[in-house]
Amino acid sequence: MSKHETPRGLTRRQLLARASAAGAFVVGAGFIAAPNAAWAIETTHLDPETFATLVQMARDIYPHDHVADEYYVVAVRGYDSAEQAAAITAGIAALDAAARGRGFPGYLGTGWERDRVDILRAMEDSPFFQQIRGGLVTGLYNQKEVWPLFGYEGESYSQGGYLYRGFDDITWL
């Protein structure tokens, strides 16, 4: 390559800058990351874009604006396995096909949450949707790091129970 030729592809800095401007996930060869580089995960059995779509799907099923994407990543990380890869890939392909059927480039390319929720509602009776929804109940809400975000202090037996510990001090209800 001569001095005046520009290299092909993007530098890491350009990739992160473009992703930040887009406000979505950074999807690369074998990884996805947050646009602000606060977290990243390597995928082993799922395509990174499939995994990013799975994370967005998780966020749309159980939306909490005050919960960071990294907790949703932890919640769905178990689906990146040899046993689950084929079913998850097929389910995400169906999700993308449903999005394309509504005129969007794919599920991740569907900009408005309302549109993504409509796509999910149309497939909520499918085994794939029920598998992801059911897995998120424990995958997301059993993370001890998430509990303080909801005002949950954990089990109370070891601390004498709830009755005399201010069981009615929850401010978010």
Side-chain angles (χ1 to χ4, degrees), residues 130-151:
Q130 291 301 319
Q131 175 189 10
I132 302 303
R133 185 200 55 77
L136 283 171
V137 170
T138 55
L140 181 61
Y141 299 114
N142 276 1
Q143 296 179 52
K144 288 185 179 184
E145 298 81 11
V146 173
W147 294 351
L149 301 175
F150 295 107

Side-chain angles (χ1 to χ4, degrees), residues 78-125:
Y79 294 116
D80 184 25
S81 68
E83 299 81 27
Q84 298 280 338
I88 297 301
T89 300
I92 295 298
L95 188 63
D96 283 336
R100 283 191 295 277
R102 292 176 180 245
F104 301 105
Y107 190 77
L108 274 182
T110 305
W112 293 98
E113 179 182 5
R114 176 81 255 156
D115 293 330
R116 291 191 308 269
V117 169
D118 289 343
I119 294 166
L120 288 174
R121 283 186 194 221
M123 66 181 309
E124 70 184 337
D125 292 329

Side-chain angles (χ1 to χ4, degrees), residues 10-34:
L10 296 174
T11 66
R12 180 179 178 276
R13 183 180 307 264
Q14 291 168 324
L15 178 67
L16 291 173
R18 288 184 186 182
S20 294
F25 300 112
V26 178
V27 178
F31 76 94
I32 68 167

Side-chain angles (χ1 to χ4, degrees), residues 31-131:
F31 76 94
I32 68 167
N36 61 3
W39 58 267
I41 185 170
E42 288 186 48
T43 57
T44 54
H45 294 74
L46 292 176
D47 177 78
E49 189 164 333
T50 298
F51 192 82
T53 304
L54 187 61
V55 173
Q56 183 63 60
M57 178 185 180
R59 183 170 267 300
D60 291 336
I61 291 174
Y62 291 110
H64 299 289
D65 292 338
H66 63 283
V67 176
D69 284 333
E70 64 190 278
Y71 299 113
Y72 289 94
V73 169
V74 170
V76 298
R77 182 175 38 194
Y79 294 116
D80 184 25
S81 68
E83 299 81 27
Q84 298 280 338
I88 297 301
T89 300
I92 295 298
L95 188 63
D96 283 336
R100 283 191 295 277
R102 292 176 180 245
F104 301 105
Y107 190 77
L108 274 182
T110 305
W112 293 98
E113 179 182 5
R114 176 81 255 156
D115 293 330
R116 291 191 308 269
V117 169
D118 289 343
I119 294 166
L120 288 174
R121 283 186 194 221
M123 66 181 309
E124 70 184 337
D125 292 329
S126 72
F128 170 68
F129 179 89
Q130 291 301 319
Q131 175 189 10

